Amino acid sequence: MGREIERKFLVQGEDWKQGAAVTPMRQGYLSTDPERVVRVRIEGDRAVLTIKGKSVGAVRGEWEYDIPKADAEELLALCPRPLIEKSRYRIAHAGMLWEVDEFFGDNAGLVVAEIELQSEDQAFDKPHWVGAEVTQDARYYNSNLLRHPYKDW
Amino acid sequence: MGREIERKFLVQGEDWKQGAAVTPMRQGYLSTDPERVVRVRIEGDRAVLTIKGKSVGAVRGEWEYDIPKADAEELLALCPRPLIEKSRYRIAHAGMLWEVDEFFGDNAGLVVAEIELQSEDQAFDKPHWVGAEVTQDARYYNSNLLRHPYKDW
């Protein structure tokens, strides 16, 4: 497997951006059923097929497979439009890795930070640019941003 | 990719069974959307994640990835019930490979033969136990046999 423990937060300001490593991402969904999401993602030169189970709190089953980038392009062509396009910034802070996603297209203006944990109650230090937690808010699932993009909120 | 050209036929009698190599198969679906089917299958010791695009005649896009069997067991647990259970028999005839699927559970009594071709108009010899063609009949898609099993036809 495959168990992802992740917390998600809104982001304030632009301070986080400076010097962060950035990867362009394009992703689509073969299934957006929350009990069995199937995602195709191209991130830089890598392509990944990911299956996610049902979320229970911050915990979610996750299975990830590297696939050829050419396959991923073909699989993205099968996915309903629009695709999700975003830039992912990776930022080290107090020994932890933060991933900040800046969305484009219909989700432009949305910026979300995620941190992956080893356990649900793991303590961590929040950078000053991290705002309100939205882990439990299903609107922020990327698979939901397709049907209800940020511009319509 | 990924392009599968396959024709499907009903099977008559039991003559085909003798001496055929048999593999037990158990499969479920993360998506049964006909434009983007996602199938998890355990066949003997092998486990495969398969994506199928929309069928156009006998042609269908297909992408297949071997995955660990332990992952497949977990992914099958995400799939809606019931799973499809069948025995696949592989039978050589006139230089071609026929695959005969004998279904169990709610699809018991259904036996279907498939042949994979290199082109749509490729000629092949039919064994005497091969009956009516059902390539175009969507009822026979395994992904449809879940919701409309053979016992309800």
Side-chain angles (χ1 to χ4, degrees):
Chain A
M1 154 103 111
R3 216 168 64 112
E4 176 189 57
I5 305 175
E6 206 168 67
R7 291 176 66 180
K8 195 180 280 191
F9 300 85
L10 297 182
V11 169
Q12 300 158 339
E14 297 270 328
D15 282 4
W16 52 275
K17 216 167 184 170
Q18 215 177 5
V22 61
T23 309
M25 290 192 174
R26 198 152 42 93
Q27 64 194 43
Y29 291 85
L30 297 167
S31 161
T32 54
D33 182 335
E35 301 198 14
R36 50 191 80 89
V37 166
V38 182
R39 184 186 72 201
V40 180
R41 175 188 277 172
I42 295 179
E43 44 181 288
D45 286 333
R46 187 185 171 210
V48 187
L49 183 62
T50 303
I51 294 128
K52 295 186 184 224
K54 197 169 156 180
S55 289
V56 181
V59 185
R60 192 167 199 187
E62 187 180 272
W63 297 262
E64 204 162 67
Y65 307 102
D66 280 291
I67 61 173
K69 197 173 172 183
D71 284 20
E73 290 286 3
E74 293 168 345
L75 293 175
L76 284 177
L78 296 186
C79 296
R81 306 291 108 174
L83 301 179
I84 297 264
E85 309 220 26
K86 61 186 183 182
S87 282
R88 171 159 294 180
Y89 297 81
R90 292 190 167 84
I91 301 155
H93 174 87
M96 299 290 285
L97 180 70
W98 288 82
E99 295 180 328
V100 177
D101 286 352
E102 183 182 32
F103 291 81
F104 303 115
D106 289 347
N107 292 296
L110 181 61
V111 184
V112 170
E114 289 179 348
I115 186 169
E116 200 170 331
L117 304 174
Q118 298 305 308
S119 68
E120 272 193 282
D121 57 1
Q122 183 180 343
F124 55 91
D125 187 66
K126 269 195 246 176
H128 70 275
W129 42 264
V130 163
E133 179 159 11
V134 295
T135 304
Q136 308 291 343
D137 190 336
R139 288 183 306 168
Y140 290 92
Y141 291 6
N142 281 215
S143 53
N144 288 338
L145 289 174
L146 288 176
R147 267 172 307 209
H148 297 112
Y150 187 60
K151 75 173 173 62
D152 297 335
W153 292 14
Chain B
M1 160 113 100
R3 216 169 65 112
E4 174 189 59
I5 305 175
E6 205 167 66
R7 291 176 66 182
K8 195 180 279 192
F9 300 86
L10 298 181
V11 169
Q12 300 158 340
E14 296 271 328
D15 283 4
W16 53 274
K17 216 167 187 170
Q18 215 179 4
V22 61
T23 309
M25 291 191 173
R26 197 153 42 95
Q27 64 194 43
Y29 292 85
L30 297 167
S31 160
T32 54
D33 182 333
E35 300 197 16
R36 50 191 80 88
V37 166
V38 183
R39 184 185 71 199
V40 181
R41 175 188 277 171
I42 296 179
E43 44 180 288
D45 286 332
R46 187 185 171 211
V48 187
L49 184 62
T50 304
I51 294 129
K52 296 184 184 225
K54 198 168 155 181
S55 290
V56 180
V59 185
R60 192 168 199 186
E62 187 181 271
W63 298 262
E64 204 162 66
Y65 307 101
D66 281 292
I67 61 172
K69 197 173 171 181
D71 284 19
E73 290 286 3
E74 292 168 346
L75 293 175
L76 284 177
L78 296 186
C79 296
R81 306 289 107 179
L83 302 178
I84 296 266
E85 308 219 26
K86 61 187 183 182
S87 282
R88 170 158 294 180
Y89 296 81
R90 289 188 169 86
I91 301 154
H93 174 87
M96 298 291 285
L97 179 71
W98 288 82
E99 296 181 327
V100 177
D101 285 352
E102 183 181 31
F103 291 81
F104 303 116
D106 288 348
N107 292 297
L110 181 61
V111 184
V112 170
E114 287 179 349
I115 187 169
E116 200 170 330
L117 304 174
Q118 298 307 307
S119 67
E120 273 194 280
D121 55 1
Q122 183 180 344
F124 55 90
D125 187 66
K126 270 196 243 176
H128 71 274
W129 42 264
V130 164
E133 180 159 10
V134 295
T135 304
Q136 308 291 343
D137 189 337
R139 289 183 305 167
Y140 290 92
Y141 291 4
N142 282 214
S143 52
N144 288 338
L145 289 174
L146 288 175
R147 268 173 304 209
H148 297 113
Y150 187 61
K151 74 172 174 60
D152 297 335
W153 291 14

